[in-house]
Amino acid sequence: MKITDARVIVCSPGRNFVTLKIETDQGLYGIGDATLNGRELAVASYLTEHMIPCLIGKDAGQIEDIWQFFYRGAYWRRGPVGMTALAAVDMALWDIKAKAANMPLYQLLGGRSRDKVLVYGHANGKDIEDTIDAVAKYRELGYQAIRAQSGVPGLASTYGVSKDTLFYEPADADLPSENLWSTSKYLNHVPQLFAELRRQFGGEVHLLHDVHHRLTPIEAARLGKELEPFRLFWLEDAVTAELQEGFRLIRQHTTTPLAVGEVFSSIHDCHQLISEQLIDYIRTTIVHGGGVTHLRRIAALAELYHVRTGFHGATDLSPVTMGTALHFDTWVPNFGIQEYMRHTEQTDEVFPHDYRFKQGYLYCGESPGHGVDIDEKLAARYPYKRAYLPVNRLEDGTLFNW
């Protein structure tokens, strides 16, 4: 089964998405997500100029060989742009192979390890009271796990806190907006938030929190220890992880479970974190981590060290990634949880899919492949709109490195 054509589709049904479509001489095609928030056109260009010409004529069934060809053959390995482009190719090829086998992707990976996938939603508000209301709404929707974020008193805005309770797009401007940040105000506020959430909702609901890489290891250790009485499911992205050994300091001081990895693009970004058991959940995404082929290796390594998966699943990943991730989640033995931010109605129309939500869980469908398609005619109605993620400065004006 030879690859005869491949093309990149860029659209913006509520936010920007980059999609790769690969076609074969047997009439089968596959869809892959290539979205990199704020750098979408870099990936689109990488695919169009450097990868698609090399795909034409290759055997679509040789997934591993094609993966190695683009990873090793490029000389310039890893990095978010290259690995996102490679992930798109990989997703599309797994979609084709599962369609050729006439089975859902999870069956091709090895079959079910579970019947349903536990997901968490995002509850946030301008203050603690507002966040409590948002958590209550998610509980009414059936969520059993909820990430809670709150505006910080004294700060005009806080990354990760949106005005909409169900949909959130952090890439908010044609040029990067700038927010002010105060670590001390944040550290004083967060324990109060979770104390009140536990008082209101008891111990039944799983509560999660995302720091968005804003702390140093010792600051994160303090926060983790202060949050221990509130039994978080995890504390996410407590520090930037370029210095993987930085997590040793956090681990020494707190038993709050730690999760990190949504910005990782390679197994080398998390090898030490996993092998030294410095984290409990690995968050690397299929779209930014080189696809199903590479994430299988990361998950296998993690299983050896009692680390579970907890894939990133924000709305900057298209339904193609979500659908693929759910098949992976359904199969992988060391599954932990799946992030699930709902897409807008426009996005769901452009990307029809067969997965569904019920009472805190997502269920992948039984369609051959990963179960997600793209309506190209509808996508053409939503042209690309440049959008950047915000940057942060400390209150004295210093550019904050998080």
Side-chain angles (χ1 to χ4, degrees):
M1 182 165 51
K2 299 297 183 182
I3 296 172
T4 56
D5 192 22
R7 60 184 176 277
V8 174
I9 305 155
V10 180
C11 62
S12 187
R15 61 107 45 234
N16 292 318
F17 295 109
V18 180
T19 308
L20 176 68
K21 187 171 187 176
I22 295 178
E23 298 177 344
T24 71
D25 59 1
Q26 293 187 15
L28 295 175
Y29 66 86
I31 302 295
D33 185 16
T35 306
L36 184 61
N37 201 356
R39 297 294 184 270
E40 295 89 355
L41 296 186
V43 184
S45 177
Y46 192 95
L47 281 165
T48 300
E49 301 298 332
H50 303 292
M51 298 184 78
I52 287 177
C54 300
L55 276 173
I56 306 304
K58 288 190 176 295
D59 184 342
Q62 301 298 323
I63 298 176
E64 182 66 39
D65 184 70
I66 290 173
W67 196 95
Q68 297 292 344
F69 177 87
F70 284 118
Y71 182 79
R72 299 179 184 276
Y75 187 77
W76 308 106
R77 299 179 184 178
R78 301 163 62 183
V81 173
M83 292 300 278
T84 300
L86 180 52
V89 172
D90 193 72
M91 267 185 268
L93 294 178
W94 278 103
D95 191 27
I96 290 170
K97 182 173 279 287
K99 287 175 178 175
N102 195 32
M103 61 177 60
L105 178 56
Y106 75 82
Q107 291 285 17
L108 198 63
L109 292 173
R112 289 183 181 274
S113 293
R114 59 200 49 82
D115 297 323
K116 52 189 178 181
V117 172
L118 178 67
V119 299
Y120 71 90
H122 289 204
N124 58 82
K126 63 180 183 298
D127 52 30
I128 291 177
E129 183 178 351
D130 210 25
T131 302
I132 289 171
D133 290 343
V135 170
K137 290 176 182 177
Y138 272 89
R139 290 293 282 162
E140 291 171 4
L141 290 170
Y143 283 84
Q144 301 176 36
I146 302 168
R147 193 189 86 170
Q149 310 288 134
S150 168
V152 178
L155 298 180
S157 61
T158 304
Y159 184 83
V161 176
S162 68
K163 296 178 181 178
D164 196 302
T165 56
L166 287 178
F167 310 108
Y168 174 50
E169 176 47 59
D172 60 0
D174 184 61
L175 291 173
S177 57
E178 296 191 4
N179 298 329
L180 291 182
W181 176 252
S182 169
T183 300
S184 61
K185 291 174 181 176
Y186 170 77
L187 287 174
N188 290 335
H189 178 67
V190 173
Q192 299 176 45
L193 168 65
F194 283 93
E196 189 59 28
L197 287 173
R198 280 298 178 213
R199 192 183 73 82
Q200 292 280 342
F201 298 100
E204 293 284 320
V205 62
H206 297 302
L207 295 176
L208 303 84
H209 183 67
D210 191 349
V211 184
H212 293 111
H213 307 111
R214 293 173 181 158
L215 301 178
T216 64
I218 196 65
E219 292 166 345
R222 168 191 157 185
L223 179 60
K225 192 163 189 65
E226 291 184 357
L227 290 174
E228 285 177 11
F230 314 121
R231 303 180 309 283
L232 266 65
F233 187 96
W234 77 31
L235 186 66
E236 177 187 344
D237 290 347
V239 302
T240 56
E242 288 95 339
L243 184 68
Q244 294 183 47
E245 55 263 41
F247 274 73
R248 292 175 186 160
L249 186 58
I250 310 173
R251 204 59 142 176
Q252 289 167 6
H253 293 282
T254 182
T255 58
T256 295
L258 302 173
V260 76
E262 71 181 61
V263 300
F264 293 171
S265 60
S266 164
I267 196 170
H268 302 289
D269 296 325
C270 57
H271 178 268
Q272 185 177 7
L273 290 168
I274 291 172
S275 63
E276 292 188 21
Q277 296 178 288
L278 301 179
I279 58 173
D280 302 280
Y281 298 90
I282 181 64
R283 299 255 304 133
T284 310
T285 74
I286 287 174
V287 65
H288 300 144
V292 173
T293 297
H294 193 52
L295 261 293
R296 292 177 78 182
R297 297 188 176 99
I298 292 176
L301 174 66
E303 185 184 12
L304 295 177
Y305 295 97
H306 307 288
V307 175
R308 289 178 281 181
T309 64
F311 290 164
H312 179 60
T315 48
D316 61 337
L317 316 180
S318 90
V320 178
T321 290
M322 181 57 70
T324 306
L326 289 175
H327 283 270
F328 194 101
D329 295 336
T330 299
W331 157 75
V332 71
N334 53 320
F335 170 76
I337 199 167
Q338 171 68 55
E339 181 178 18
Y340 175 49
M341 287 183 69
R342 295 167 183 252
H343 289 102
T344 64
E345 182 179 344
Q346 293 93 334
T347 296
D348 286 338
E349 289 173 350
V350 170
F351 295 95
H353 53 267
D354 64 358
Y355 59 81
R356 59 189 176 87
F357 173 85
K358 182 180 179 181
Q359 292 299 309
Y361 292 88
L362 278 173
Y363 297 76
C364 66
E366 294 294 322
S367 304
H370 54 48
V372 187
D373 208 338
I374 183 170
D375 184 330
E376 294 186 65
K377 290 184 179 179
L378 187 56
R381 300 180 189 174
Y382 300 100
Y384 168 81
K385 298 178 181 179
R386 188 174 68 184
Y388 284 90
L389 292 166
V391 297
N392 279 258
R393 292 187 182 274
L394 299 179
E395 291 177 301
D396 67 359
T398 303
L399 188 66
F400 188 47
N401 179 28
W402 58 277

